[in-house]
Amino acid sequence: MIYIKPISRLLLVFLLCFCPNIAHSQIQQINQQLHQLPLIKDSVSLVNSLNRLGTLYRGRNADSCFYYGISAKRIAARLRYLKGQKDADQLIAYTFFKRGLYAESLDLLGKTLPYYQENKDTEKIIRVNLDKIEVLNKGISDRPRIRSLLQSTIQMGSELEKDSIMSEVYISYCNRNTDLTTDSIHYYLNKAAEVANRYQDERMLIYIRLWQGRLLILDQKKEEALPLIKQLISDSQRIGNASMEISALFLMTGYYDDQPKIALDYFYKAHEVALKSGDRSIEIYVLNNALEVAKQLGDKDAIINVHEKLAQAMSADWEKSKKFISDYVRYNAVLDDNRLLSKKNAQQTGYLIIFAVSLVVVILALLKVWHNRKRLLVLNKTIQEQNATMQKTLNALEQSQEDNTRMMQIVAHDLRNPIGGMYSIVSLMLAEDGRTDEDKEYLEMLQTTGKVSLDLVNDLLLIQTKKDDLKKEPVDLGEMLRYCVDLLHHKAALKEQQIHLEAAPDISILANQEKLWRVVSNLIANAIKFSPTGASIDVVLQKETDHVRIAVKDNGIGIPEEIAAKIFDMFTDAQRKGTTGEQSFGLGLAISKQIVEAHGGKIWFESEAEKGTVFYVELPLR
């Protein structure tokens, strides 16, 4: 049936999804913690309470979770309270996950795990593993790694004195192990039910019944499934768990898989629940499923209605993302201000010490020459210490530059998804029939703006490429160049240009193929941009004794002498528009230079104004 796949996918997302939606009892706990917070005098207890609040906010409000996690980490770092820092890092990693920063989330979870392993905190290790499994599933979908992690987590369960968390582990094993037979699924569901019943964990018991309902739908035992699903909806509403209620409503869409109109109504009900919960990612997921059904129905009014709701949800999600970025930047700005203030105070104290020492030296010099010599030695020592302090300050400034670059890349990473979404939606709208010429003109303007913005974001993500960051593998340069030429052939055809490739055979080097492809694509794209209509572009690959050389030659407008020295500078003012008005950001050649030099190579050019340019890239064979 057409809806079985959406039902399966939803349960894999929302059953035990990283953190369950908050229930009524947890709201009471939050209010209790907030009431007690101003009364806490002990700093360590304050850190623990802040982390507890952040944990309670997981799944309800990612911004609040991030706020309390950052607050706890700041105080714990000042106290050098390592456990408080690691617990806070786990909350921050969750927020990164919710905002789509999967690599950052996985990295932070990896840094917390050794502390819990060293302290033999098995329950925390299992919790971190469950979080990592959700990030791996959502981010890179590394199934073998997920399965291995789940198996080792199940083995850890025998070490627990209180094994209430194991019901979540067994359910997660069913969710993430797509190769399980129905009998195996029933086996692990029964084990989960044993644990949940032992600890009277109603939330987990509902999750188990959701799985049972799913299995009944998949086995086409709909009449047996219907009363179970209705009870699940009622129980989810009673305990105030939105994600479980949405999962149950999705099961109803499976029940009505042969009646799409009714199924669509249940998607609308699921959207109302998601909207009230405030979780925009769930709301967007529900609306995307509803959109599939509306399209299958061919109901234009329903399609337009869902599109409007989807646009509102994506806009609200983007506003939350901007607030998250703003909070993160503001926090780092506060830390930077504190560091600068500390340095300034230290510098002023140093000046006062120098003045006092100098004054003492002068007075004692009048009394005794030997005493003056002794004080001069003290002064020299003080100067040496200050030189060391200045060196440390310079190092700190360099680190600050790296941090700023990192933050810019985080912002660029977060911008990519919403801009990509905008670009995709506009492309879909352009593909629809019945648009007026005026509508098409405006949509094409939006599409062009989205493409330009995506190119800029991709450039920003490649800033500061270093040798240590490269993951190298054998790369067939001839094959890579043919791929680049094929991809850019249509772009050249728009200007009636021809790209000719001459590549020596069997040339392979150790390199990062993605970044090297970026360099060559940028050089060919520039040749197309700055060459006139009907021009010819030559790409040549040659093998020398200990290196290879790639040349990209055009017959374009050339590079004037007054800007030749600046074209490899980052954010240079030497950028120019192409022969047909194409936009340039002044980042491509600077990033290409970083990538080539990180490979141990070099890049340069030869140019003559109004006659053309040849760019050379030279890379070592070993």
Side-chain angles (χ1 to χ4, degrees), residues 507-518:
I507 299 180
S508 180
I509 66 171
L510 277 178
N512 185 296
Q513 180 164 318
E514 180 183 355
K515 294 186 181 294
L516 208 55
W517 173 86
R518 181 75 177 182

Side-chain angles (χ1 to χ4, degrees), residues 348-364 375 378-379 382 386:
Q348 290 176 346
T349 302
Y351 289 149
L352 290 173
I353 292 173
I354 293 172
F355 176 76
V357 171
S358 300
L359 183 61
V360 170
V361 169
V362 171
I363 294 173
L364 292 179
R375 291 301 178 186
V378 173
L379 181 61
T382 303
Q386 289 197 342

